[in-house]
Amino acid sequence: MSEFDNVTAPPPPPTSLDPAPADQRTMALAAHLLGIFTWFIGPLVIWLINKDDASKAFVTDQAKEALNFQITIAIAMAICVVLMIVFIGALLMPVVGVLNVVFCIIAAVKANNGEAYRYPFTLRLIK
């Protein structure tokens, strides 16, 4: 049995027939874009504010997704700092930063369109 047999795919985005209301799309957009500037703090605040309100499922889902991605980026940056000992970290840190900006912008555009977005390469620690 391979160690990759137990790896699961990311959960599918929530499906609904009606699009998310404009205020929820704006909050989801903010959760993704705040990740660029505040790392995990912005998505965490949005998720904590909206997690108990069942009518804001879209915001909760997207804020949780943005939070998980920013935690993954923080871990990657910490690894880059450790790898600076052998100079590889100095080369990888800008790559991780650019990937953060690119994926956050893609997610923000999708969220603004009312589509749930799943980041690739994300550790889903918050379920």
Side-chain angles (χ1 to χ4, degrees), residues 27 44-53 56:
M27 287 297 288
L44 175 65
V45 169
I46 292 175
W47 178 65
L48 288 174
I49 290 171
N50 295 298
K51 72 176 182 168
D52 296 327
D53 191 355
K56 295 186 178 181

Side-chain angles (χ1 to χ4, degrees), residues 11 39 87:
W39 280 15
F87 190 68

Side-chain angles (χ1 to χ4, degrees), residues 63-115:
K64 187 172 21 174
E65 187 68 19
L67 176 60
N68 282 328
F69 182 67
Q70 293 306 320
I71 291 171
T72 303
I73 290 295
I75 292 169
M77 286 294 199
I79 291 170
C80 288
V81 168
V82 171
L83 288 176
M84 279 191 178
I85 295 170
V86 290
F87 190 68
I88 294 172
L91 299 174
L92 289 177
M93 195 174 286
V95 172
V96 172
V98 167
L99 286 175
N100 182 25
V101 171
V102 168
F103 283 131
C104 285
I105 291 172
I106 291 171
V109 169
K110 295 280 187 176
N112 195 37
N113 292 336
E115 303 171 35

